[in-house]
Amino acid sequence: MPLLEVRNLKVYYDLPQGTVKAVDGVSFSLEKGEILGVAGESGSGKSTLAHSIIGLVKPPGRVVDGEIIFEGRNLLELSEEELREIRGKDITMVFQDPNTYLNPVLRIGIQVGEVYEAHLGIEPRKAIDKVVDLLRKVRLTDPERRVESYPHELSGGMKQRVMISMAIALKPKLIILDEPTSALDVTIQAEIMELLMEMRDELGAAMIFISHDLELLGQVSDRLMIMYGGRLVEIGETEEIFRDPLHPYTEALINAIKYVRKEELPTLEGEPPSLLKPPPGCRFHPRCPKRMDRCSLVEPGEYMVGGRRVSCLLYEEEGDA
Ligand code: SF4
């Protein structure tokens, strides 16, 4: 049984202008200890997907269909209390900007200690030795002093280390990383990546790693999932996708990597699709260099090509996934 199985997930946002289908029928699974890289342009639905797994989709967003099976339980059927038990313990998340998560008026030691209070019933002040050990583990300098600091007294890289310490405190089974290094400068990015990979080796946790940096995902992920317009367009072994991308969108991204700065996803000609009114047929057809007449008429299904799942009419004859 996979650690996580997402089946036909649909997450929509009801706006005055209409319904935005941010995630529209996405399915994938994740094995224990596996790293799944997720790439796609802004608005492709990757962050909404991550938030829905951890139960953090807020109105006007709502999960309208699908299942999120974690260790055999459908997270979408759990009460808020049951979900809180899992969130922060078995499934944790590191966000792009720690400032949106850290409380500016609480000392670091208390905030990290709250993880122990929420799940083990240990008061933050009594957990302070554990917190110091944890901060040392994420290589925050002078941890005895840092527990008394407020977030504004730490640099961006230090705050991200604090976030990682909270994410690993209770040895989670799954860590979701939503652009964890993109707000940091390049040298700090490399240090944080090294730390994350060390933590993964030590904990054996699975990771869903969302990033604009396709090259980085190529280096760290076991499998890669490419999203476009709220849908999955290709998923498979990272090495195979880099060697021979099947979907024209994946191919364009990979071909363009060498021409862009490392932290950016390559941009393609044309605009990403509106999720309020997506193009008919294949959502990528207005930008696709390989489009055929029927691409604007027929919505592609998902087809199995070797060990890969790809959503493009070029592979229709391979059979449904
Ligand atoms: Fe391109 Fe057609 Fe494939 Fe869409 S279905 S990616 S338009 S070839």
Side-chain angles (χ1 to χ4, degrees):
M1 185 172 64
L3 178 71
L4 176 78
E5 198 167 356
V6 173
R7 295 182 193 148
N8 193 32
L9 185 69
K10 296 184 180 178
V11 186
Y12 295 174
Y13 288 84
D14 296 316
L15 303 181
Q17 309 91 299
T19 299
V20 170
K21 297 178 176 178
V23 174
D24 201 14
V26 170
S27 303
F28 66 95
S29 62
L30 186 72
E31 300 297 327
K32 287 181 185 140
E34 184 183 29
I35 301 185
L36 176 70
V38 182
E41 290 166 297
S42 298
S44 62
K46 54 195 192 314
S47 286
T48 301
L49 175 70
H51 284 93
S52 54
I53 293 170
I54 203 164
L56 289 179
V57 174
K58 300 273 179 268
R62 64 197 165 93
V63 177
V64 298
D65 201 4
E67 292 177 313
I68 301 174
I69 314 286
F70 178 74
E71 294 196 306
R73 297 163 85 194
N74 185 358
L75 300 184
L76 298 176
E77 288 173 351
L78 300 186
S79 65
E80 184 49 40
E81 197 182 329
E82 289 171 316
L83 201 52
R84 222 177 298 129
E85 261 299 298
I86 293 176
R87 188 168 55 215
K89 180 167 172 280
D90 294 324
I91 306 178
T92 59
M93 186 154 173
V94 178
F95 298 86
Q96 178 178 359
D97 181 6
N99 293 316
T100 57
Y101 191 83
L102 292 172
N103 185 333
V105 298
L106 273 187
R107 293 180 199 276
I108 293 299
I110 299 295
Q111 298 198 50
V112 179
E114 279 177 350
V115 176
Y116 293 108
E117 184 175 36
H119 295 280
L120 303 179
I122 306 173
E123 269 180 50
R125 293 237 161 258
K126 293 190 178 151
I128 216 71
D129 290 345
K130 279 178 178 293
V131 173
V132 169
D133 283 348
L134 204 51
L135 295 182
R136 188 170 293 117
K137 190 180 239 200
V138 296
R139 295 201 289 278
L140 196 68
T141 49
D142 204 357
E144 289 83 358
R145 192 162 63 89
R146 292 299 176 204
V147 289
E148 298 300 330
S149 302
Y150 289 96
H152 73 269
E153 295 173 299
L154 305 185
S155 68
M158 288 171 167
K159 280 185 264 197
Q160 201 56 303
R161 285 179 198 275
V162 171
M163 291 296 297
I164 293 169
S165 76
M166 292 160 90
I168 63 165
L170 299 174
K171 300 187 170 48
K173 294 168 182 155
L174 170 61
I175 306 175
I176 301 172
L177 305 161
D178 189 5
E179 306 268 8
T181 60
S182 36
L184 305 173
D185 69 43
V186 178
T187 43
I188 308 294
Q189 273 184 17
E191 287 175 21
I192 295 289
M193 275 316 300
E194 198 184 310
L195 176 66
L196 284 169
M197 290 307 109
E198 251 181 60
M199 293 300 117
R200 165 336 249 246
D201 290 345
E202 193 180 317
L203 302 174
M207 289 181 171
I208 295 177
F209 197 141
I210 295 170
S211 178
H212 277 91
D213 187 342
L214 202 54
E215 212 175 329
L216 175 69
L217 290 181
Q219 288 160 13
V220 301
S221 61
D222 302 305
R223 281 190 307 143
L224 196 56
M225 173 160 121
I226 309 290
M227 292 189 68
Y228 187 82
R231 297 220 168 125
L232 178 158
V233 295
E234 184 164 357
I235 185 168
E237 301 285 329
T238 304
E239 223 181 290
E240 280 182 23
I241 290 186
F242 269 77
R243 193 174 53 236
D244 177 26
L246 295 176
H247 194 282
Y249 178 58
T250 317
E251 188 181 359
L253 290 181
I254 288 178
N255 287 345
I257 275 185
K258 44 186 177 289
Y259 302 113
V260 296
R261 288 206 335 266
K262 202 173 173 301
E263 64 271 23
E264 289 175 350
L265 192 76
T267 45
L268 308 183
E269 271 187 35
E271 295 292 316
S274 156
L275 297 179
L276 263 174
K277 209 168 172 278
C282 170
R283 292 183 180 186
F284 187 53
H285 87 259
R287 303 166 85 186
C288 182
K290 295 185 176 173
R291 75 176 160 264
M292 306 167 283
D293 289 346
R294 54 198 304 268
C295 294
S296 58
L297 305 170
V298 180
E299 213 171 279
E302 292 185 354
Y303 315 108
M304 280 313 285
V305 187
R308 255 181 287 171
R309 188 149 46 95
V310 57
S311 176
C312 167
L313 293 170
L314 291 171
Y315 304 97
E316 206 176 4
E317 286 178 4
E318 305 283 340
D320 291 342

